[in-house]
Amino acid sequence: MGLTVNNLIDWINNFSAKIEQNKQYLSDLDTAIGDGDHGFNMSRGMKAVSQKLSTKPETITDVFKQIAMTLISTVGGASGPLYGTAFLEMAKKSATSDDIGELLEAALTGIKKRGGAEPRDKTMVDVWSVLVPEVKAHNLTREKIDSAVAATKDLVAKKGRASYLGERSKGHIDPGSQSSGYLFEALLETEGIL
Amino acid sequence: MGLTVNNLIDWINNFSAKIEQNKQYLSDLDTAIGDGDHGFNMSRGMKAVSQKLSTKPETITDVFKQIAMTLISTVGGASGPLYGTAFLEMAKKSATSDDIGELLEAALTGIKKRGGAEPRDKTMVDVWSVLVPEVKAHNLTREKIDSAVAATKDLVAKKGRASYLGERSKGHIDPGSQSSGYLFEALLETEGIL
Amino acid sequence: MKKIINDPANVVPEMVKGMVRSYPQFITKIEDAEAVMRADKDSMTGKVGIVSGGGSGHEPTHAGFVGNGMLSAAVCGEVFTSPTPDQIYAAIKAVDQGQGVFLVIKNYSGDVMNFDMAKDMADMDNIKVKSIVVDDDIAVENSTFTQGRRGVAGTLFMHKILGAMAQNGASLDEIDAAAKKVLPNIKTIAVALSAATNPETGKPGFVLKDDEIEYGVGIHSEPGYRREKIKPAKDLVSELVGKLNDEMHLDHSKKYAVLVNGMGATPLMEQFIFSNDLLDKLAEFDVKPAFMKVGNYMTSLDMAGISLTIFEIADEKWLGYLNQPVETIAW
Amino acid sequence: MKKIINDPANVVPEMVKGMVRSYPQFITKIEDAEAVMRADKDSMTGKVGIVSGGGSGHEPTHAGFVGNGMLSAAVCGEVFTSPTPDQIYAAIKAVDQGQGVFLVIKNYSGDVMNFDMAKDMADMDNIKVKSIVVDDDIAVENSTFTQGRRGVAGTLFMHKILGAMAQNGASLDEIDAAAKKVLPNIKTIAVALSAATNPETGKPGFVLKDDEIEYGVGIHSEPGYRREKIKPAKDLVSELVGKLNDEMHLDHSKKYAVLVNGMGATPLMEQFIFSNDLLDKLAEFDVKPAFMKVGNYMTSLDMAGISLTIFEIADEKWLGYLNQPVETIAW
Ligand SMILES: Nc1ncnc2c1ncn2[C@@H]1O[C@H](COP(=O)(O)OP(=O)(O)O)[C@@H](O)[C@H]1O
Ligand SMILES: Nc1ncnc2c1ncn2[C@@H]1O[C@H](COP(=O)(O)OP(=O)(O)O)[C@@H](O)[C@H]1O
Ligand SMILES: [Mg+2]
Ligand SMILES: [Mg+2]
Ligand SMILES: [Mg+2]
Ligand SMILES: [Mg+2]
């Protein structure tokens, strides 16, 4: 058990496939409370990542770095710097740790610092802050992921484009939380990491 | 029998009423082969004319001049200068003649000179050049007016906006011919001029 | 019809007031006429006046090009309806400096007749007036037996060249001669994605399906020469350049000015994508424009589409006139 | 969706190429980036660089304002998507002359984060970078707990003032101080008649009925604060001026600059009718703008509507900066 270059790449390719499959759904979620591009943004980025990773990097750190730089330079919008920062922090942390829980915790800290969002602001931070402790406690389940994503529905957005809607942002799942949900699902489905 | 200030004004007010009543129809004809404004143009002008004539001018010449100047300065487009010129020529001619046939003949000459159109170019010239001789021969009838207007339907336009359509201008009545038809109808209906 | 207006019958006077009040440094209203003239009257002293105009709905044309170095005055008719002679005459009279006035007329029955009558009025007042009738739209067959071709976006180049010449002190005869020489070198053709809706009628001039375009439309939603399914920008460029080339035989040894003109509702993004393809297509003829403009210059209210004008710079001085600085709202 | 494009995935690179090829006298492409900089590099020598940018679809903003006296460079993200840090960084690097670079950012999560990351990259390269985040859209409630207000059309005034200062040789610190002083004086509010259709999604951001309008929309078709039946232009002016006045308390003893901005598909005729009513309404406050512009400056693709910006000229020098001549495609 433990993170390797191979299972890390499997995880990310699985995430990439989920994004591609749900591209339209993510954009529809974003149309309701944002500008309708989240699926397209993530798809553009993850296609580029999978493409880059087809030449296998040597180390786990190199894989994380590669993902980070690719997302940062292809996604744009709000999700680009956030996912980019997440993987950049994992790259840094991976120099001293290969514990997935610790890595994800570093990523979450990076996301919060980059975007200034706190839990209950109706952003991807909501999903990450619920699920990272579950990973650390070896308790991540599909149910927990689904409920963390669904829980964003009733919140009023305080950060990101949805915040301009105020109260009217209620009743819609946050698109970045949904895509983050896919990242944790992909992790759960990848043999040997957790 | 003969033209007087009173029956001249009656004629013009009757024409004005017909224009108002058929404003939308004239514009619809113009939409098919022009720019859809002929009814609005004529209505704007004839309303102003009726308004002006509510203070009765002294002489027939003054009435014609008043009509001409008002049409020239309110209608615009192609029909403004054409109808304006027609009445201006009638004003000039009325200094030496009060024969309606001769007056209308002078008007027709003016229209042809102003616009450069000849019969069969699918313009108001078609209606005028058929009906003026009928007036002169004391033979003007409703049937002749209707058939002169209807005859423009199968022509290909050579002058005016409809000419840009070439062959496709066929199959539609020329709007300026229709409004000219109303002028002759109004004349026919006015007691004492013909 | 959803428009930001008050009463459809008042759109022109309200617009004219809005223009002169928003840009008093460039233009001022001519009293008792829906027409504007340069605010800087001194700039016209001793110069030939250049007066243009026509129906409204083509903004920024014509009033947006009134100012030092370009037009002296512009007459604003009702929407898509040529102005009346008294209005045109008022503009002629307002700008005449004793050197005469030159009229730029677009080839529509109404414009030609109304401007002619205004000229007659000026004659009676001993104001020297000459004129040119612009007929750059190649979508229409040319024939001396008919009305001939329409005047459209290429008129912008005529305005600019004559305006520069007048500013530099050219005489009425010199301007008249130059206008005649410029005229046959300007050719335009358009493609529409949707027609304009006239505020007075409240209806579009024609209706295109969700996937249809029409080539060769005029600036008052006159129908064009062919309707077909929407194509990539590249293919629209091919069609329009092909038509223009048939007329003017593009030649790498000659100089050209190009105007890519948005019809009103077409975003600049699309106009620049079109321009990119256009420059590729012209490169096939080994032609690189010596002067180029892209944007909404001769619009047709809310029509979506683009017109393409190519102007052969047959006289080197013309390029200088095109580049000469002006002070207007919209050049 | 009917648009003059080739492949929806390529609209931005094709547009950028179209712009630099159509206007090589003003702008040139920055290598390996969807970004443009001044063609006249000498005009930047020894000066602070002013870099702006954001998602595309707002043309002529931002690239249309690059040129002598205004922006040094503009970064063009995907449609309605903020550009990536590497692109922004490439622009910073391209224009830095050792005097530092000032970034004009509009307040969207994405823009703020991507520009911040670019700043980090520049820091590592020892390029001095400062920035301002423009948040002029008063449609959104202001709050320190949320993202705060959006940056919209009023950004144009920020660009113009900082661009003029940089041209006149102001230091990075002076520009930074001026930007902070200018910021709270710019307020904007919009009304939409229809939403924009993003070429990639092919769908409009929201759908209004044939007789509906919406107040307070953003420039990416973010919904606004109220939807109602279309009203006469006068009433739209009353609503928007009312909202602005609540914020900034119009005062006849103060000077103001005004921008009436078309959102893309709204004809100039309507913009000038709106302007006419606006000037009447401002006259009720005894206010007459010291500077005014009307036209399509910060568009939202093919959205129909108008935004109104009022900028209190709290420092007399700013009026001079607004009037200082520039050489750009679109100012
Ligand atoms: N400040 C922020 N902190 C954390 N997450 C954020 C922040 N702003 C936006 N997000 C996330 O980004 C998502 C939107 O991403 P995307 O649509 O790709 O970018 P944009 O909003 O620029 O169009 C939101 O659903 C939210 O989860
Ligand atoms: N050169 C011409 N000679 C005679 N009649 C003409 C000429 N040009 C146009 N017309 C007439 O004018 C009518 C159109 O008038 P109108 O719609 O008011 O003006 P416009 O064509 O400028 O919109 C045509 O139906 C035709 O009868
Ligand atoms: Mg989004
Ligand atoms: Mg007509
Ligand atoms: Mg007309
Ligand atoms: Mg976005």
Side-chain angles (χ1 to χ4, degrees):
Chain A
M1 297 292 259
L3 202 58
T4 65
V5 167
N6 282 336
N7 63 21
L8 171 52
I9 291 179
D10 285 349
W11 170 28
I12 295 309
N13 281 338
N14 186 4
F15 175 49
S16 186
K18 285 181 194 295
I19 290 292
E20 204 46 38
Q21 209 174 308
N22 295 287
K23 173 160 73 168
Q24 192 60 53
Y25 175 58
L26 289 172
S27 286
D28 289 347
L29 290 179
D30 196 29
T31 299
I33 55 170
D35 61 351
D37 61 358
H38 186 58
F40 296 101
N41 291 345
M42 292 303 296
S43 152
R44 186 172 54 243
M46 290 310 299
K47 266 191 206 150
V49 165
S50 289
Q51 166 70 25
K52 267 276 159 64
L53 294 181
S54 62
T55 335
K56 208 198 291 187
E58 301 262 309
T59 67
I60 292 175
T61 302
D62 286 344
V63 180
F64 278 126
K65 228 190 241 167
Q66 193 70 265
I67 298 168
M69 297 322 285
T70 308
L71 289 177
I72 289 171
S73 67
T74 57
V75 178
S79 45
L82 290 166
Y83 276 105
T85 300
F87 283 97
L88 204 59
E89 293 303 323
M90 291 198 267
K92 285 191 210 159
K93 190 78 190 174
S94 68
T96 58
S97 163
D98 64 356
D99 178 85
I100 185 71
E102 283 184 16
L103 296 182
L104 288 171
E105 191 162 54
L108 171 57
T109 307
I111 291 174
K112 287 170 81 171
K113 207 172 148 200
R114 176 61 65 202
E118 288 297 324
R120 303 193 62 76
D121 283 355
K122 196 178 182 118
T123 70
M124 58 175 72
V125 167
D126 288 305
V127 164
W128 284 74
S129 58
V130 167
L131 299 182
V132 169
E134 299 293 350
V135 172
K136 294 191 75 176
H138 304 285
N139 273 333
L140 186 69
T141 64
R142 179 64 198 249
E143 290 65 39
K144 283 174 181 161
I145 296 170
D146 288 350
S147 92
V149 171
T152 64
K153 192 163 172 176
D154 290 332
L155 297 172
V156 173
K158 299 244 159 50
K159 284 274 144 58
R161 227 174 259 282
S163 69
Y164 307 133
L165 289 176
E167 283 293 324
R168 282 176 297 163
S169 62
K170 257 192 189 168
H172 302 276
I173 289 174
D174 171 58
S177 296
Q178 180 65 71
S179 62
S180 295
Y182 296 142
L183 182 70
F184 285 93
E185 270 180 39
L187 176 64
L188 192 62
E189 290 165 12
T190 308
E191 303 268 316
I193 303 186
L194 290 179
Chain B
M1 298 293 256
L3 203 57
T4 64
V5 167
N6 282 335
N7 62 22
L8 172 51
I9 291 180
D10 285 349
W11 170 28
I12 295 309
N13 281 337
N14 186 4
F15 175 49
S16 185
K18 286 182 195 293
I19 290 292
E20 204 47 37
Q21 210 172 309
N22 296 288
K23 173 161 73 169
Q24 192 59 52
Y25 174 59
L26 289 171
S27 287
D28 288 348
L29 289 178
D30 196 28
T31 298
I33 56 171
D35 60 350
D37 60 359
H38 186 58
F40 296 100
N41 291 344
M42 291 303 294
S43 153
R44 187 171 54 240
M46 290 310 298
K47 264 190 207 152
V49 165
S50 290
Q51 165 70 25
K52 268 277 160 63
L53 294 181
S54 62
T55 334
K56 209 197 294 183
E58 301 260 309
T59 66
I60 292 175
T61 302
D62 286 344
V63 180
F64 278 126
K65 227 189 244 170
Q66 194 69 264
I67 298 169
M69 297 322 286
T70 307
L71 289 178
I72 288 171
S73 66
T74 57
V75 177
S79 46
L82 290 166
Y83 276 105
T85 301
F87 283 98
L88 204 59
E89 293 303 323
M90 292 198 268
K92 286 190 207 158
K93 190 77 190 175
S94 69
T96 57
S97 163
D98 64 354
D99 179 86
I100 185 69
E102 284 185 15
L103 296 183
L104 287 171
E105 191 162 53
L108 170 55
T109 308
I111 291 173
K112 287 169 80 170
K113 207 171 147 202
R114 176 61 64 202
E118 288 297 325
R120 304 194 61 75
D121 283 356
K122 196 177 182 121
T123 71
M124 59 175 72
V125 167
D126 288 306
V127 164
W128 284 75
S129 59
V130 167
L131 298 182
V132 170
E134 300 293 351
V135 171
K136 295 191 75 175
H138 303 285
N139 273 334
L140 187 68
T141 63
R142 179 65 198 250
E143 290 66 39
K144 285 176 179 159
I145 297 171
D146 289 349
S147 91
V149 171
T152 64
K153 191 163 172 176
D154 291 331
L155 297 172
V156 173
K158 298 243 160 50
K159 284 274 145 55
R161 229 174 259 281
S163 68
Y164 307 132
L165 288 177
E167 284 292 324
R168 283 175 297 162
S169 62
K170 258 192 188 168
H172 302 276
I173 289 175
D174 171 58
S177 296
Q178 179 65 72
S179 62
S180 295
Y182 296 142
L183 182 70
F184 286 93
E185 270 181 38
L187 176 64
L188 192 63
E189 290 165 12
T190 308
E191 303 268 317
I193 302 186
L194 290 178
Chain C
M1 181 192 68
K2 218 167 12 169
K3 288 183 185 292
I4 300 177
I5 60 175
N6 295 297
D7 181 347
N10 292 337
V11 292
V12 174
E14 291 185 13
M15 174 190 73
V16 171
K17 268 196 281 174
M19 290 188 92
V20 297
R21 295 172 76 191
S22 300
Y23 290 102
Q25 69 272 43
F26 298 131
I27 55 175
T28 180
K29 194 166 169 307
I30 295 174
E31 230 178 298
D32 296 326
E34 295 307 335
V36 306
M37 65 184 289
R38 289 191 202 173
D40 178 5
K41 288 180 193 154
D42 291 347
S43 74
M44 305 195 285
T45 309
K47 307 277 162 76
V48 170
I50 309 286
V51 172
S52 187
S56 291
H58 308 301
E59 292 67 34
T61 296
H62 305 82
F65 301 111
V66 171
N68 301 359
M70 213 162 161
L71 300 179
S72 312
V75 196
C76 311
E78 291 294 315
V79 175
F80 294 174
T81 300
S82 67
T84 58
D86 53 313
Q87 306 270 312
I88 302 165
Y89 173 60
I92 293 172
K93 206 163 167 177
V95 304
D96 177 51
Q97 306 281 319
Q99 307 302 312
V101 173
F102 194 83
L103 306 179
V104 181
I105 308 169
K106 286 189 279 348
N107 191 30
Y108 296 95
S109 292
D111 282 336
V112 171
M113 292 187 277
N114 284 295
F115 276 82
D116 268 357
M117 290 178 87
K119 212 168 166 180
D120 292 347
M121 292 165 86
D123 275 347
M124 292 192 305
D125 241 8
N126 290 319
I127 301 177
K128 284 177 291 176
V129 176
K130 298 202 165 196
S131 63
I132 188 90
V133 177
V134 180
D135 59 350
D136 56 319
D137 189 351
I138 64 163
V140 175
E141 287 302 320
N142 217 351
S143 155
T144 46
F145 299 109
T146 67
Q147 183 67 38
R149 292 175 159 175
R150 299 175 291 227
V152 290
T155 309
L156 189 76
F157 289 134
M158 186 66 85
H159 289 160
K160 184 64 172 76
I161 291 200
L162 303 188
M165 287 183 70
Q167 200 61 39
N168 298 348
S171 72
L172 188 60
D173 286 337
E174 286 165 345
I175 287 172
D176 185 49
K180 288 200 179 77
K181 208 177 151 201
V182 163
L183 186 63
N185 291 294
I186 308 179
K187 305 289 176 201
T188 301
I189 182 104
V191 59
L193 277 64
S194 73
T197 299
N198 188 318
E200 190 138 36
T201 65
K203 295 183 207 158
F206 53 81
V207 177
L208 290 171
K209 296 212 195 84
D210 260 4
D211 61 351
E212 275 180 351
I213 57 167
E214 184 154 331
Y215 296 112
V217 296
I219 55 173
H220 314 93
S221 296
E222 296 95 342
Y225 63 82
R226 198 166 82 237
R227 194 171 283 201
E228 60 181 35
K229 289 235 178 294
I230 176 87
K231 294 232 165 92
K234 271 189 196 7
D235 297 338
L236 303 183
V237 163
S238 284
E239 170 75 20
L240 301 189
V241 171
K243 286 270 170 193
L244 288 167
N245 186 50
D246 289 346
E247 281 282 325
M248 62 197 313
H249 310 291
L250 294 168
D251 177 343
H252 75 276
S253 69
K254 291 177 175 165
K255 284 202 174 135
Y256 298 97
V258 167
L259 171 63
V260 172
N261 174 59
M263 301 304 292
T266 289
L268 270 180
M269 171 175 277
E270 297 175 38
Q271 297 179 41
F272 279 113
I273 289 171
F274 179 97
S275 299
N276 185 48
D277 291 328
L278 171 67
L279 291 166
D280 284 344
K281 173 57 72 180
L282 292 179
E284 290 175 18
F285 293 91
D286 220 350
V287 163
K288 202 179 156 197
F291 182 92
M292 183 159 177
K293 272 182 109 65
V294 182
N296 295 353
Y297 290 97
M298 175 82 78
T299 61
S300 180
L301 291 174
D302 55 351
M303 181 188 259
I306 283 178
S307 75
L308 172 60
T309 300
I310 301 186
F311 168 34
E312 185 187 324
I313 302 176
D315 181 331
E316 185 65 33
K317 284 197 300 295
W318 298 351
L319 188 57
Y321 297 147
L322 289 176
N323 283 315
Q324 194 167 310
V326 297
E327 292 168 43
T328 65
I329 297 173
W331 173 256
Chain D
M1 180 191 66
K2 216 163 20 167
K3 288 183 186 290
I4 301 177
I5 59 175
N6 295 296
D7 180 348
N10 291 337
V11 292
V12 174
E14 291 184 14
M15 172 190 76
V16 170
K17 268 197 280 177
M19 289 188 94
V20 297
R21 294 173 77 190
S22 300
Y23 290 103
Q25 70 272 45
F26 298 131
I27 55 174
T28 182
K29 194 165 169 309
I30 295 173
E31 233 180 297
D32 296 324
E34 294 309 335
V36 307
M37 64 184 290
R38 289 192 203 173
D40 178 5
K41 288 181 194 156
D42 292 347
S43 74
M44 303 194 286
T45 310
K47 308 276 163 77
V48 170
I50 309 286
V51 172
S52 187
S56 291
H58 308 302
E59 292 67 35
T61 296
H62 307 80
F65 301 110
V66 171
N68 302 359
M70 213 162 161
L71 299 179
S72 313
V75 195
C76 311
E78 291 294 314
V79 176
F80 293 174
T81 300
S82 67
T84 57
D86 52 313
Q87 307 268 310
I88 302 165
Y89 173 59
I92 293 172
K93 206 165 167 173
V95 304
D96 177 50
Q97 306 281 318
Q99 307 303 312
V101 173
F102 195 81
L103 307 180
V104 181
I105 308 168
K106 288 191 272 357
N107 191 31
Y108 296 94
S109 293
D111 282 336
V112 170
M113 290 187 278
N114 284 293
F115 276 82
D116 267 357
M117 289 177 87
K119 212 169 166 179
D120 291 349
M121 292 165 87
D123 275 348
M124 292 191 308
D125 241 9
N126 290 320
I127 301 178
K128 283 176 292 175
V129 177
K130 297 201 166 196
S131 63
I132 189 91
V133 178
V134 180
D135 58 350
D136 56 320
D137 189 351
I138 64 163
V140 176
E141 286 303 320
N142 216 349
S143 154
T144 45
F145 299 109
T146 67
Q147 184 66 37
R149 291 174 159 174
R150 299 175 291 227
V152 290
T155 310
L156 190 75
F157 288 135
M158 185 67 83
H159 288 160
K160 184 64 173 74
I161 291 200
L162 303 189
M165 287 183 68
Q167 200 62 36
N168 297 348
S171 71
L172 187 61
D173 285 338
E174 286 165 345
I175 288 172
D176 184 50
K180 288 200 179 79
K181 208 177 151 201
V182 164
L183 185 64
N185 291 294
I186 308 179
K187 304 289 174 201
T188 301
I189 181 103
V191 59
L193 278 63
S194 73
T197 298
N198 187 318
E200 190 139 36
T201 65
K203 295 183 204 159
F206 52 82
V207 178
L208 290 171
K209 295 212 197 84
D210 260 3
D211 61 351
E212 274 181 350
I213 57 167
E214 184 155 331
Y215 296 112
V217 296
I219 56 175
H220 314 92
S221 296
E222 295 95 342
Y225 63 82
R226 198 166 81 237
R227 195 172 281 202
E228 60 181 34
K229 289 236 178 296
I230 176 89
K231 293 234 165 92
K234 271 190 199 5
D235 297 338
L236 302 184
V237 164
S238 284
E239 170 75 22
L240 302 190
V241 172
K243 285 272 171 196
L244 288 166
N245 185 49
D246 289 347
E247 281 282 325
M248 63 198 312
H249 311 293
L250 294 168
D251 176 343
H252 74 277
S253 68
K254 291 177 175 163
K255 282 202 177 138
Y256 298 95
V258 167
L259 171 64
V260 172
N261 174 60
M263 301 304 293
T266 289
L268 269 181
M269 171 175 277
E270 297 176 36
Q271 297 179 39
F272 280 115
I273 290 171
F274 179 97
S275 299
N276 185 47
D277 291 328
L278 171 66
L279 291 166
D280 284 343
K281 175 56 75 181
L282 292 179
E284 290 175 18
F285 294 91
D286 220 350
V287 163
K288 203 179 156 197
F291 182 93
M292 184 159 175
K293 272 183 110 67
V294 183
N296 294 353
Y297 290 96
M298 174 82 78
T299 62
S300 180
L301 292 174
D302 55 351
M303 180 187 260
I306 284 178
S307 75
L308 172 61
T309 301
I310 302 187
F311 168 33
E312 186 188 323
I313 303 176
D315 181 332
E316 185 63 34
K317 284 197 301 293
W318 297 351
L319 188 57
Y321 297 147
L322 289 176
N323 283 313
Q324 194 168 311
V326 296
E327 291 167 44
T328 64
I329 298 173
W331 173 255

